[in-house]
Amino acid sequence: MKPTRRDFRLDIIILLGSITGVTITVFGIYRWLSGQHALAWLDFAIVACVMLPVLYAWRTGDSARAGAALCVLNSAGTLAACLLAGHTALTWIYLVLLTNFFIANRWLAASANLVILFGVQLLPDFFHDGFHATSVAVSVLLITGFSYIFAKRTQGDRARLEKLAAIDALTGVPNRRSMERALADAVDTFQRTGRNYGLVVLDLDRFKDVNDQYGHAAGDAAIADLASILRFEMRRNDQVFRFGGEEFVALLELDNIEDLDTTTERLRKAVRASLRGPGGRITISLGAALLREHEKTWHDWFSRADAALYRAKSAGRDSYVIADDLF
């Protein structure tokens, strides 16, 4: 498994699935030794059903499918336990009601919980009396309702936090963390499909002079303006990131090195024509590299483009260099 980002649901699936598997296995062994072979076989079957989605999630990183499968299996297993063990299995119901919202989307979890509720109501002689059945139904509905509200709120908060963590506050473009993820995805796509990618690393020329003469506010304004120009120049499938300081990275989908050369020069000219500071025109230097077959990680690819940038700086700035295979 090679997940590109931290997946809270995936962590929960692996953790809860593993704990559930171990716990139910212990119960199964105890029941087998106690002569309750039918219940023991049920326990072992549940363990097998639980661990299959867990292993799938661990190997693929697909938490959505694995979580949905676990939600359905846990709910079905709970109903089966209630059918075989009677009301003593009620303790499992409340645990499943809660965990369904951690491992699956809230609509599926709520639906599964309602199926459990109606399922146990239909079991003959499951409850002591009508009051017992009503109290269980109210408890299930309250747990489901509060869990649904909690899941909805945390999902929204998590999405906002992930967005904030991925965007540079000054420029509004994705930050270095997002860049690393995008470059890793590009390398993976290239290895699988052969789709070509170009990488352009660029930064402002003599940026220290801008900060020293006109202050950091002027420097921040120049960085923000540069980000706006680059964002405008990106084509539909291109992406731009702030790497740090005055340095930016553009990830480009293109056909060949000639396209990379043309696009890099276009970016240089666009910035030269549009970017101004208190002291007048501000230019950039750029280094670019086409992704090559021997590069299995984005670091090697980035290093070639970054080294090309330094060559452009050494050549007098306001210029660009395309890395070649021997560089």
Side-chain angles (χ1 to χ4, degrees), residues 89 137 260 265 294 309:
L260 179 60
E265 173 66 354
H294 67 273
L309 168 63

Side-chain angles (χ1 to χ4, degrees), residues 79-156:
L79 286 174
C82 290
L83 178 63
L84 293 176
H87 64 269
T88 56
L90 274 175
T91 52
W92 286 108
I93 285 182
Y94 299 114
L95 177 61
V96 171
L97 294 176
L98 288 171
T99 56
N100 278 347
F101 282 94
F102 286 97
I103 61 179
N105 72 72
R106 60 182 184 273
W107 289 107
L108 177 60
S111 300
N113 286 5
L114 292 177
V115 169
I116 292 174
L117 171 60
F118 289 116
V120 295
Q121 295 290 333
L122 296 175
L123 293 178
D125 303 321
F126 185 74
F127 299 105
H128 300 302
D129 48 39
F131 178 78
H132 185 205
T134 301
S135 64
V136 170
V138 171
S139 298
V140 169
L141 291 174
L142 286 175
I143 291 173
T144 299
F146 284 123
S147 298
Y148 179 90
I149 294 171
F150 178 77
K152 182 178 180 180
R153 179 64 181 269
T154 55
Q155 182 179 6

